[in-house]
Amino acid sequence: MMMIQRARRSTAEGRAAGMSGQRVLKTEAVMLGGMALGLLLWELPSLRREARIWRMAGGFRAGHRYP
């Protein structure tokens, strides 16, 4: 008796089981954006403080008075 092997899965079925490259890139972009937003929110109080010091020192009008 001759043994018949099963046909390999088609590429459409194989793609459904895993993630496509575009989906992985989108997921990574969302994660990176979320981390950047989290870092910005974490640093916001420090940035506000630096902006206040910069304004007290004269801002753009200070020119070359402060290095």
Side-chain angles (χ1 to χ4, degrees):
M1 187 160 117
M2 182 183 223
M3 300 219 25
I4 300 174
Q5 291 184 349
R6 291 179 60 181
R8 295 179 72 169
R9 288 186 185 174
S10 69
T11 56
E13 291 178 38
R15 277 194 213 125
M19 289 182 74
S20 69
Q22 284 184 338
R23 196 167 179 186
V24 170
L25 287 175
K26 285 179 186 177
T27 303
E28 288 177 351
V30 167
M31 289 177 58
L32 189 62
M35 288 173 43
L37 182 63
L39 182 63
L40 178 68
L41 292 175
W42 180 267
E43 291 293 329
L44 196 59
S46 301
L47 293 172
R48 289 179 61 205
R49 188 178 320 117
E50 289 292 330
R52 204 168 85 208
I53 292 169
W54 180 71
R55 282 195 318 260
M56 288 184 345
F60 286 119
R61 294 176 294 147
H64 63 276
R65 282 186 288 176
Y66 302 103

